[in-house]
Amino acid sequence: MDERPFLVVNMLDLSDADIEQLKKFHKSYYNENNVLSTANELKYTTEIKEIFNKEIQSPTSDFVRFFAKQIYTTGQITQKVVEMFTPLVKKSMSMVINDIIAERLNTAMKNDEQVEDTTNISSNLPNSPKENTENKLPEGIVYMDKEAGIITTQEEMDAYNIVRSILRRSVDASRITYKDYKTYFVISLDNSQWYWICRISIGARKKQIGIPVNKYKSCDWIQIDSIDDIFKYADRLEESIKMAIEKL
């Protein structure tokens, strides 16, 4: 029996992907062969994702050598060469990820423009019914306001749900609200603009959680490796919600 489970879910923070996997265990859908196949696939894809994520954050020597061997042809790949290529590999990977995200956003915007043009044309044609066309967003994006430049990602919503799960012991979860801005994602109490609980900043290169200090006079930004690290700052969030309750 494997030491590591092939599927781990948080029942307080279920994603759509988790639900799709759990459906396979319902008696209406259960198929032993499919479950075994899924277990085997998830086991390896999860480990590959973990390895790849670590390489993105901090490329190993072997990973850097893989690229250096294909580019550096003027001599041997020494430790000095590896050290020279390490920041270049890390920067290049971030650029590739940014390009992929930008391409998806551009595609989504073009699709929105095409849908709008088609709708306008159809509305001007006699006896032509209007069709409700659902705007499709890129994978990982749950909301996008092109005019305001605001993009709400699934990762930001996951971070919001983590904060709710931490603070529901102190306050009704329905009172914990959020508002997205161009520069960061704000989680607050009762939609208050002034008495916020924390700020979330998720970029291609780094992720941060900001916690109010000195009675909201400043923000303590803490860099995190993943949104799961938010659980490490549960005590700070508890202090923040108490401060917000006192102000309200």
Side-chain angles (χ1 to χ4, degrees):
M1 189 172 182
D2 293 335
E3 295 181 0
R4 300 180 64 180
F6 67 86
L7 177 64
V8 178
V9 297
N10 181 354
M11 299 304 291
L12 297 177
D13 183 24
L14 285 173
S15 66
D16 291 341
D18 291 334
I19 294 172
E20 286 300 315
Q21 295 300 335
L22 290 173
K23 278 172 61 177
K24 296 177 182 179
F25 294 91
H26 190 276
K27 65 179 182 179
S28 301
Y29 304 96
Y30 185 78
N31 181 296
E32 185 176 354
N33 291 332
N34 288 343
V35 170
L36 291 175
S37 176
T38 298
N40 192 52
E41 180 180 321
L42 285 172
K43 172 186 174 183
Y44 292 118
T45 54
T46 300
E47 293 186 12
I48 290 171
K49 284 169 63 178
E50 289 179 1
I51 294 171
F52 187 65
N53 187 50
K54 288 178 181 177
E55 293 289 0
I56 292 175
Q57 300 295 330
S58 181
T60 60
S61 296
D62 289 340
F63 191 73
V64 174
R65 286 178 186 275
F66 172 77
F67 294 98
K69 287 178 181 178
Q70 301 179 60
I71 303 170
Y72 189 78
T73 58
T74 58
Q76 293 183 341
I77 309 298
T78 62
Q79 184 60 33
K80 187 174 181 180
V81 173
V82 171
E83 292 174 358
M84 179 185 74
F85 270 90
T86 297
L88 297 177
V89 170
K90 186 174 182 178
K91 183 178 180 180
S92 298
M93 292 174 67
S94 295
M95 291 173 66
V96 169
I97 294 171
N98 287 336
D99 288 344
I100 293 172
I101 294 173
E103 183 179 354
R104 288 183 175 178
L105 290 176
N106 288 334
T107 301
M109 289 179 181
K110 288 179 181 178
N111 289 339
D112 287 346
E113 291 172 359
Q114 290 175 358
V115 168
E116 185 177 352
D117 291 341
T118 303
T119 303
N120 290 334
I121 293 171
S122 299
S123 62
N124 293 325
L125 291 174
N127 301 323
S128 178
K130 294 182 180 179
E131 294 183 358
N132 293 325
T133 306
E134 182 180 356
N135 294 332
K136 291 185 178 179
L137 294 172
E139 185 178 353
I141 306 296
V142 298
Y143 173 78
M144 181 165 55
D145 185 337
K146 291 185 292 183
E147 293 184 0
I150 296 172
I151 298 172
T152 304
T153 66
Q154 182 60 54
E155 201 167 14
E156 288 173 327
M157 294 305 300
D158 290 343
Y160 166 65
N161 286 324
I162 287 175
V163 173
R164 287 185 72 196
S165 68
I166 292 172
L167 298 179
R168 65 192 313 143
R169 295 171 296 180
S170 302
V171 67
D172 191 306
S174 62
R175 296 183 64 190
I176 302 172
T177 55
Y178 71 86
K179 185 174 179 61
D180 202 3
Y181 295 88
K182 286 184 69 172
T183 52
Y184 48 71
F185 182 93
V186 180
I187 300 175
S188 59
L189 182 66
D190 296 335
N191 287 310
S192 173
Q193 294 183 352
W194 308 107
Y195 308 126
W196 46 278
I197 299 167
C198 68
R199 294 170 177 169
I200 305 293
S201 174
I202 299 177
R205 297 184 180 180
K206 64 179 180 180
K207 298 178 176 66
Q208 298 181 100
I209 178 173
I211 299 176
V213 292
N214 298 327
K215 296 182 179 179
Y216 299 99
K217 292 180 180 179
S218 59
C219 176
D220 181 18
W221 285 104
I222 305 166
Q223 189 164 338
I224 56 179
D225 293 327
S226 71
I227 59 171
D228 288 335
D229 287 345
I230 293 175
F231 286 107
K232 298 178 182 178
Y233 303 98
D235 291 343
R236 296 284 303 274
L237 292 170
E238 292 282 2
E239 293 174 4
S240 181
I241 192 69
K242 288 178 182 178
M243 186 165 60
I245 291 173
E246 289 174 359
K247 291 291 184 180
L248 289 174

